[in-house]
Amino acid sequence: QQTYASRYDACKLSATANGKDLTISNSIVQRMTGTAIDYGFIVNYNAAEGTLTIENSELIGPVSGDTSAINSASPSLIGLADAYNENVKLVVKGSTLRTNGYGVFNRWNKAEYTDTVFTGLEGVEINDESVAVLSCYMALNHSVAPDVSFDGCTFKNMRSWGMLVSGGNLSVTGCSFEGSNASRAITVDVYGDRTIESCVITGNTFDLAGSGCGVSFSGSCVTEESKITVDGNTFLNCNKDDGFCVRNMGTGSNPAEVEIKVTGSTFVN
């Protein structure tokens, strides 16, 4: 088991003549400074094709500054890829992503997350006095998500979205979202003119004690052609006045145009 520390990008996946893929296994990759890295310290670096795989590993990324500073810098553990390149894929399995910034920043068109934990920095020793040990600002941001899936993942200690996705196909099954989200567990939104093609949210548990906000469909992301399934989920402690378990909203004062059905679910408190 190796430990890698870097002030700048620790690993880059780049197009080369000799190989297209990068796999990080059974490792700890930790940044030792709070200085923001705009593109993430594991990053696809203009690769035309290939798969970045992180398995049985832990990524730790402290980021200094308040919420506004962290948001504006968009520092992330796993950085951006080409927004419209479907030949690049991200696979994360059996791993823990621990940060007070972003877990995964946007534009991974194809991504699979299995048995992975997205969490804040609680329980991690940080020796940089400039780093505030805060909860994760956003576990995941996919502004373009043609094919993204989560299976058996855990989201906890977050101050904003668990995930924010737009467009394409999203599957979230058997995951848990634990109570300290200050905003949304899942937000499906619109990015440009990209609407959601299919969205499957099944068998998940949402403990909303810290936010009261579960699944939100925003803007005009859902059309008559969209295939939406929200089934077999458990929603706990959605008891805030401005909270919701599932919300379907339009843009501004315009109501949502397409009905969303919630089936087979349990609602407690």
Side-chain angles (χ1 to χ4, degrees):
Q1 187 172 28
Q2 300 293 320
T3 299
Y4 301 91
S6 174
R7 181 180 176 184
Y8 302 104
D9 298 337
C11 305
K12 289 184 179 181
L13 172 64
S14 182
T16 68
N18 299 320
K20 303 169 183 175
D21 302 331
L22 172 65
T23 299
I24 299 174
S25 302
N26 306 311
S27 299
I28 297 172
V29 185
Q30 178 173 358
R31 288 187 55 229
M32 307 305 291
T33 175
T35 304
I37 296 175
D38 291 346
Y39 295 134
F41 69 102
I42 297 179
V43 59
N44 171 294
Y45 194 66
N46 296 326
E49 57 185 312
T51 298
L52 170 59
T53 301
I54 299 171
E55 56 187 11
N56 303 319
S57 296
E58 183 171 12
L59 311 184
I60 304 172
V63 181
S64 62
D66 58 18
T67 302
S68 176
I70 293 173
N71 185 22
S72 62
S74 303
S76 52
L77 296 177
I78 301 174
L80 82 170
D82 187 334
Y84 301 101
N85 185 351
E86 297 192 26
N87 295 317
V88 177
K89 184 177 182 179
L90 173 64
V91 176
V92 183
K93 49 188 176 182
S95 297
T96 298
L97 278 61
R98 198 182 301 267
T99 181
N100 63 325
Y102 293 85
V104 181
F105 200 53
N106 59 3
R107 305 197 175 119
W108 289 92
N109 283 324
K110 294 184 177 180
E112 296 178 2
Y113 303 89
T114 307
D115 299 327
T116 290
V117 176
F118 299 83
T119 183
L121 286 172
E122 287 76 4
V124 175
E125 182 178 354
I126 303 297
N127 296 318
D128 186 338
E129 294 181 356
S130 69
V131 178
V133 181
L134 305 172
S135 298
C136 186
Y137 176 77
M138 180 186 294
L140 178 71
N141 175 11
H142 280 288
S143 62
V144 183
D147 192 359
V148 177
S149 65
F150 298 83
D151 186 6
C153 295
T154 299
F155 296 79
K156 59 184 181 180
N157 300 322
M158 290 169 291
R159 290 186 285 119
S160 192
W161 290 280
M163 63 180 73
L164 170 66
V165 296
S166 302
N169 304 291
L170 170 68
S171 174
V172 185
T173 59
C175 297
S176 65
F177 296 81
E178 299 181 7
S180 56
N181 298 46
S183 186
R184 314 282 182 258
I186 300 176
T187 293
V188 182
D189 209 333
V190 64
Y191 179 81
D193 59 353
R194 300 177 70 93
T195 56
I196 197 78
E197 296 176 20
S198 70
C199 180
V200 178
I201 300 175
T202 60
N204 305 287
T205 299
F206 298 83
D207 185 344
L208 304 173
S211 66
C213 302
V215 183
S216 177
F217 295 89
S218 302
S220 55
C221 62
V222 179
T223 69
E224 293 288 354
E225 289 72 36
S226 301
K227 297 179 180 179
I228 308 297
T229 301
V230 183
D231 179 73
N233 300 289
T234 298
F235 296 89
L236 308 174
N237 303 313
C238 183
N239 51 20
K240 285 193 172 184
D241 291 341
D242 58 349
F244 55 82
C245 294
V246 181
R247 179 177 70 170
N248 184 21
M249 63 180 294
T251 303
S253 60
N254 299 319
E257 298 179 359
V258 179
E259 180 181 77
I260 291 175
K261 294 182 179 181
V262 178
T263 59
S265 296
T266 300
F267 302 85
V268 179
N269 190 26

